[in-house]
Amino acid sequence: MMNPEDFSLTEAASAIRAGTLSPVEYVEALFGVMERVESRVQAWVTIDRGGVLSEASKCEAEARSGEFRGPLHGVPVGIKDIFYTKGLRTTMGSAIFKDFVPNCDARAVTKLKEAGAIVLGKTVTTVFANLDPGPTRNPWNIEHTPGGSSSGSAAAVAARMCPAAIGTQTVGSVGRPAAFCGVASLVPSQQRISLEHVFPLAWSLDHAGTFARSVADLEVMLDAMAESPVERYPARAPFRIGVVRDFFYENATVEARSLNDRLAGDLAAAGFHVEEARLPEIFEVQQPILGTILRTETASIHERLFAEHAATYGPKLRTLIETGMLIDASDYVRARRLRRRYQREMAKLFQPFDVLMTPPARGAAPAGIGSTGDPVMNGPWTLTDFPTVTLPHALSADGLPIAVQLTGAPLQERLLLEVAKAIEAVVSFTARPNL
Amino acid sequence: MNLQEIAEEKFGKDRAEELRFEIEQLAAEIEKLRSVPLDIDDEP
């Protein structure tokens, strides 16, 4: 029999429903993994073991009497430490909030609990979900960054400390750590998952996202957290994949480009319709649009806190806020207006394609934990608000995961997930970190 | 006033100097945004 920690989320949920996996034994198995690896990975900020075991016991009793709260009944999940959790410390990765205990759950956490999930604990976020790193290390090689800002969520899923976790992405904070840690991730369109009681970095760019070890698991998590049902459409295989090279290949390592091209070739050989997609002219201003919106909104969010606690801010966030304070209203509005045009132009890319395919990072996770890597490959898609899935498909020469970033048309999460499942079946990525 | 001068006024000369590279980058980004003509249908 498989070790419980190796179950995917859907396998664990099915086993609990079938009575072959006890929720208590499951969380105890995950605690056992934590005891073995957490001192090296450092993915967690707060875990209330007593509370988790008590909730697992309740789920177990309910399951025995045939009562199930929802599709995630008894399944433990990790929560990035910027989502409010009722009665459970929520630090935002900042000394300012080191003792903050919310009196309510974030809406997304409420939805997960309603679906039967157990909050296993709070995962490390970089300081206020920006670029100043936390202590988390990459489970594939602890001398390398796990990426960020959702560092702990990605690392915890990769290290088998939980089957799924949630995070947020304002530029590249889900896709990049997923790529570096070799797990699957989904960032749906902003309106799909509520950000109520999630500490913001930049309101108009912030997105909730999820990590798991299969695309099917991502879909279950999305359905559990979505504010309204995500539409289903008939699948239309053979799927049409647009490979976007341009900017993305200019910023990728030779190895990342080569492995991405190899994947495109494998998909074409497997029957996918694969062609190159070319970026529109307005793409040239995507970085100034993104940077102007990000700086201005972050400066506004932190206006009061920063005035009182500037010394506690990391250097990267401090610089972001201070430069944001220099931007005048007309330039911010200009950036917002150009963003709309950018979204319209980028959406036209999907006329001949179901999904677009790009590398999700420059290459494998960089060495060192002083930086979380560069979100340059994710920002263009976060700015569009198009849904993205990141999926590991290969290993670098150094034995670190290499992933692909798949982007769907606006609000087409279901089609994106269908294509991602089909690609997942072709790549059959089974490597795992050796901790 | 240019952005460097505004920064000096807001954060003091020393901090503004530390931020010089980022401020130059920001100024270049804003310049690029301003170079794109907008029309009436470009709503925020």
Side-chain angles (χ1 to χ4, degrees), chain A residues 284-285 287-289 291-292 295 318-319 322-323 325-328 331 334-338 340-341 344, chain B residues 3 6-7 10-11 15 19 22-23 25-26 29-30 32-34 36-44:
Chain A
E284 282 177 24
V285 284
Q287 178 49 44
I289 298 170
T292 302
R295 291 176 202 275
R318 185 178 177 192
T319 298
E322 288 174 333
T323 51
M325 290 162 72
L326 303 176
I327 297 170
D328 69 34
D331 288 319
R334 173 177 285 272
R336 292 290 303 261
R337 294 175 72 184
L338 285 171
R340 286 285 287 271
R341 191 194 295 179
R344 283 197 304 273
Chain B
L3 288 180
I6 298 170
K10 276 184 188 286
F11 315 126
R15 181 61 184 153
L19 290 170
E22 286 79 11
I23 292 170
Q25 199 176 27
L26 171 63
E29 287 182 2
I30 289 174
K32 206 163 179 183
L33 287 183
R34 289 178 181 169
V36 183
L38 288 165
D39 66 46
I40 200 72
D41 292 325
D42 290 313
E43 295 170 23

Side-chain angles (χ1 to χ4, degrees), chain A residues 101-177:
Chain A
V101 179
N103 59 11
C104 64
D105 282 322
R107 170 88 179 141
V109 174
T110 300
K111 298 280 284 182
L112 286 172
K113 286 182 175 176
E114 285 171 358
I118 298 171
V119 172
L120 185 59
K122 304 304 289 290
T123 57
V124 170
T125 173
T126 60
V127 183
F128 287 117
N130 189 49
L131 293 170
D132 300 298
T136 308
R137 290 167 179 269
N138 193 314
W140 291 79
N141 182 336
I142 60 172
E143 302 303 323
H144 288 244
T145 178
S149 63
S150 308
S151 321
S153 288
V157 173
R160 272 58 180 173
M161 291 191 271
C162 57
I166 61 172
T168 54
Q169 172 157 305
T170 306
V171 182
S173 288
V174 170
R176 183 166 91 268

Side-chain angles (χ1 to χ4, degrees), chain A residues 302-367:
Chain A
H302 286 271
E303 189 176 5
R304 248 186 60 198
L305 277 176
F306 185 68
E308 291 167 15
H309 305 278
T312 71
Y313 278 67
K316 292 191 169 77
L317 182 54
R318 185 178 177 192
T319 298
L320 188 71
I321 292 168
E322 288 174 333
T323 51
M325 290 162 72
L326 303 176
I327 297 170
D328 69 34
S330 65
D331 288 319
Y332 172 70
V333 174
R334 173 177 285 272
R336 292 290 303 261
R337 294 175 72 184
L338 285 171
R339 182 189 186 189
R340 286 285 287 271
R341 191 194 295 179
Y342 173 74
Q343 290 170 315
R344 283 197 304 273
E345 292 295 315
M346 290 291 281
K348 292 176 187 166
L349 284 169
F350 292 97
Q351 283 167 359
F353 298 113
D354 296 311
V355 304
L356 301 171
M357 172 179 151
T358 52
R362 290 184 186 274

